[in-house]
């Protein structure tokens, strides 16, 4: 964390932090992307991988959101953290990337699928709102003039049911239950349709969400910026 957040503080540097924005695409499998030989048309993400740095071997610490996100922001295994529910706090002895950024002088801002859940027990994440309100996300980064910034965006559109409209948690749960029940009852009909919806969701993320987000982040970023997609 320190080496990234202080990468330009060496001799002759301006002492400023570049803008760093982490984008987590929930449930996006790496092997569906175009540059990985997958079925999705993802030229923007493919170009990011080709022109930036692509990590081809990555391991998740847990198969579901709460413990894997907690591990992601601390670098600590879930069995040591003990964070398995939304309301579980991260103990003070485990610093997060958010607290490290704040100590380095950066503003911290997060957008999550629902502010009542993800990072609700992590105040240093400074949750600004829902990532499902895409216009609000874009406006924040577009109007953010502070050069010292760590942003975190939890993108939800690549998660079942792969819809391109905001959903409250109750509606999301009902739709997912219906889809899973239908898939178990009639998999030969439902699963091909789900795969098609998933491909479109991944392509929306690559070709509609990411380019506009990158343009917004680039505003007022004279010292450069870094986007991390996982």
């Amino acid at each position: 964390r320190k080496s990234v957040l202080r990468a330009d503080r060496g001799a002759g540097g301006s002492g400023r932090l570049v803008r760093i924005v982490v984008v987590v695409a929930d449930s996006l499998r790496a092997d569906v992307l175009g540059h990985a030989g997958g079925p999705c048309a993802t030229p923007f993400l493919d170009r990011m991988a080709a022109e930036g740095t692509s990590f081809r071997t990555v391991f998740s610490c847990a198969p579901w959101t709460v413990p894997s996100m907690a591990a992601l922001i601390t670098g600590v295994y879930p069995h040591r953290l003990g964070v398995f529910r939304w309301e579980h706090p991260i103990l003070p002895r485990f610093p997060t990337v958010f607290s490290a950024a704040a100590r380095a002088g950066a503003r911290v801002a997060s957008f999550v699928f629902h502010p009542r859940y993800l990072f609700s027990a992590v105040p240093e994440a400074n949750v600004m709102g829902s990532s499902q309100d895409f216009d609000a996300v874009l406006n924040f980064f577009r109007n953010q003039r502070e050069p010292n910034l760590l942003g975190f965006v939890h993108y939800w559109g690549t998660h079942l049911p792969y819809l391109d409209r905001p959903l409250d948690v109750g509606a999301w749960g009902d739709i997912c239950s219906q889809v899973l029940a239908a898939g178990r009852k009639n998999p030969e009909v439902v699963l091909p349709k789900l795969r098609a919806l998933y491909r479109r969701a991944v392509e929306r993320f690559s070709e509609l969400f990411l380019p506009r987000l990158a343009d917004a982040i680039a505003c007022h970023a004279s010292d450069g910026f870094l986007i991390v997609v996982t």
Side-chain angles (χ1 to χ4, degrees):
R1 288 191 296 259
K2 286 183 180 178
S3 62
V4 173
L5 293 169
R6 299 181 181 272
D8 63 342
R9 286 179 176 261
S14 65
R16 292 183 175 181
L17 303 173
V18 297
R19 291 183 172 197
I20 302 172
V21 180
V22 179
V23 182
V24 178
D26 200 300
S27 302
L28 195 163
R29 288 175 58 109
D31 59 3
V32 302
L33 302 176
H35 70 267
C40 296
T42 54
F44 189 84
L45 255 177
D46 299 344
R47 192 166 74 251
M48 288 184 69
E51 298 177 3
T53 300
S54 178
F55 296 89
R56 300 304 179 98
T57 304
V58 181
F59 298 93
S60 176
C61 289
W64 59 289
T65 305
V66 178
S68 60
M69 283 289 202
L72 182 68
I73 64 173
T74 59
V76 178
Y77 284 113
H79 69 274
R80 291 188 60 211
L81 283 173
V83 175
F84 298 102
R85 296 177 62 89
W86 302 114
E87 65 271 18
H88 286 172
I90 295 175
L91 297 178
R93 69 174 180 270
F94 299 118
T96 67
V97 67
F98 303 124
S99 58
R103 287 197 305 272
R107 178 176 182 180
V108 174
S110 299
F111 291 87
V112 298
F113 80 99
H114 197 296
R116 281 175 46 203
Y117 296 92
L118 185 60
F119 299 155
S120 61
V122 187
E124 64 265 34
N126 192 27
V127 175
M128 306 293 292
S130 172
S131 58
Q132 296 186 85
D133 187 350
F134 189 31
D135 288 337
V137 175
L138 292 180
N139 287 335
F140 172 83
F141 287 108
R142 189 179 295 120
N143 296 321
Q144 177 57 242
R145 294 178 178 274
E146 170 59 62
N148 306 336
L149 174 70
L150 174 64
F152 191 102
V153 180
H154 176 221
Y155 183 82
W156 193 240
T158 46
H159 190 293
L160 189 75
Y162 317 130
L163 300 179
D164 60 350
R165 58 184 174 86
L167 292 171
D168 63 42
V169 174
W172 169 80
D174 290 342
I175 294 172
C176 286
S177 296
Q178 293 168 16
V179 169
L180 293 172
R184 286 190 291 267
K185 184 177 181 180
N186 199 357
E188 65 277 3
V189 173
V190 174
L191 292 183
K193 294 180 179 178
L194 275 181
R195 292 190 183 101
L197 284 173
Y198 181 62
R199 285 196 297 270
R200 287 200 289 272
V202 172
E203 290 168 1
R204 278 197 304 270
F205 171 69
S206 172
E207 303 309 301
L208 296 178
F209 179 86
L210 277 181
R212 294 173 64 195
L213 180 66
D215 286 345
I217 295 169
C219 292
H220 316 298
S222 58
D223 287 346
F225 62 94
L226 173 68
I227 299 179
V228 182
V229 179
T230 186

